[in-house]
Amino acid sequence: MKLSFYKYQGTGNDFVIIDNRELFFPKANTDLIAGLCDRRYGVGADGLILLEKHASSDFKMVYYNADGNESTMCGNGGRCLVAFAKFLGIIEDKTRFNAIDGMHHATIEHDVVSLQMIDVAEIKVKPNSVFLDTGSPHHVQLVQGLKDFSVQKEGAKLRYGIYGETGSNINFVEQLNDDTFSVRTYERGVEDETLSCGTGVTAVAIAMHKTGMTSSEKITVEAVGGTLEIEFKTDDVYSDVYLKGPAKQVFKGEFDY
């Protein structure tokens, strides 16, 4: 059978996206999903996203890691899916859609998508790191010499050593100025460094504010694949959290399976 797909990327975080409004895609076929995401034998992507119908919102997002397993929220994936929904004519310049962590609002102007993330209340500040959930679990740790840091080695060590089989995404951060940070992220499910992680840069921004590294509620985070902006309001919780950056269609294709 032939499967039509689209390839999207948001600051280098890339995804295979499929219009599954007719529910034809075999979701239980983890080998197919992993095969599509494989960079040598498949299309190549950090994850696969299905766009489906939803009863009370514009659409539903179903996200799978590159290992073929359904996963938690993906911020850059959500932004790319908003761009895809506009391409399909489902939405115009704003939307409300359902994901695994609940409802999300978003706006799109040209190829820039601003996505509302979940509120964050529980933040665990440890002696050398911060742990929080921004739709996916994230470990945030300040380091020196980020450019030459061994993200793959140290990320895997922390991902399994501290957080076990369930795991956590691991973010290594370096401060550039008062409200700008650089980050490199090891993603569980991909089990490697990715060029960008939307929930990760969101976690970095909130963690840096929580620990007093910045007082700004509008933070710029430089990922390997590009720049993202995070805004939020602070009170008892971090609310009105928005992740903003580019989301672009790369190509369309067909895959035999």
Side-chain angles (χ1 to χ4, degrees):
M1 293 181 65
K2 287 190 178 295
L3 177 70
S4 294
F5 68 90
Y6 292 80
K7 179 76 176 284
Y8 274 76
Q9 64 87 14
T11 55
N13 207 185
D14 60 342
F15 308 95
V16 170
I17 300 184
I18 295 170
D19 179 358
N20 194 42
R21 285 177 290 177
E22 300 304 318
L23 300 177
F24 68 90
F25 188 83
K27 296 181 181 181
N29 192 336
T30 56
D31 288 341
L32 172 62
I33 297 167
L36 282 163
C37 293
D38 191 287
R39 296 193 182 279
R40 292 177 177 82
Y41 297 102
V43 178
D46 292 326
L48 180 142
I49 309 172
L50 302 177
L51 183 147
E52 297 183 350
K53 294 177 181 177
H54 189 260
S56 59
S57 66
D58 293 324
F59 57 90
K60 178 182 178 181
M61 172 184 178
V62 184
Y63 178 70
Y64 297 86
N65 278 330
D67 62 7
N69 295 305
E70 188 172 357
S71 189
T72 47
M73 181 58 183
C74 176
N76 285 330
R79 294 191 309 97
C80 286
L81 196 63
V82 170
F84 183 55
K86 183 176 181 179
F87 169 77
L88 293 177
I90 297 171
I91 65 168
E92 293 185 3
D93 59 351
K94 60 182 179 179
T95 184
R96 176 176 176 267
F97 70 91
N98 180 262
I100 195 168
D101 61 344
M103 289 292 180
H104 291 263
H105 291 84
T107 58
I108 178 169
E109 184 176 357
H110 302 297
D111 62 357
V112 176
V113 178
S114 180
L115 172 66
Q116 185 182 29
M117 307 296 282
I118 63 169
D119 292 352
V120 179
E122 185 177 355
I123 303 172
K124 298 178 181 178
V125 179
K126 304 176 183 180
N128 298 310
S129 65
V130 179
F131 180 81
L132 65 163
D133 193 313
T134 53
S136 289
H138 282 276
H139 171 107
V140 179
Q141 181 174 321
L142 281 166
V143 299
Q144 293 183 334
L146 181 61
K147 182 180 178 181
D148 299 315
F149 194 81
S150 180
V151 172
Q152 168 66 33
K153 179 182 177 182
E154 297 302 321
K157 188 186 298 182
L158 291 169
R159 178 255 194 268
Y160 289 103
I162 296 178
Y163 300 102
E165 187 61 32
T166 301
S168 172
N169 301 288
I170 309 296
N171 304 273
F172 299 105
V173 185
E174 193 166 49
Q175 187 161 13
L176 302 179
N177 58 46
D178 288 347
D179 59 3
T180 305
F181 298 83
S182 180
V183 63
R184 293 175 63 189
T185 301
Y186 176 96
E187 284 200 54
R188 65 172 188 172
V190 179
E191 305 310 330
D192 202 351
E193 180 179 5
T194 55
L195 296 183
S196 177
C197 175
T199 54
V201 300
T202 304
V204 167
I206 292 173
M208 294 300 98
H209 185 275
K210 178 69 175 179
T211 55
M213 299 303 295
T214 180
S215 59
S216 178
E217 295 182 347
K218 183 176 181 179
I219 295 169
T220 300
V221 178
E222 303 281 355
V224 177
T227 302
L228 291 158
E229 295 179 356
I230 302 90
E231 293 187 57
F232 48 74
K233 294 179 181 178
T234 54
D235 195 357
D236 293 332
V237 301
Y238 285 82
S239 62
D240 293 325
V241 182
Y242 279 87
L243 171 69
K244 182 178 180 181
K248 299 180 180 180
Q249 185 179 130
V250 182
F251 61 84
K252 175 186 177 181
E254 289 185 334
F255 189 88
D256 288 317
Y257 76 98

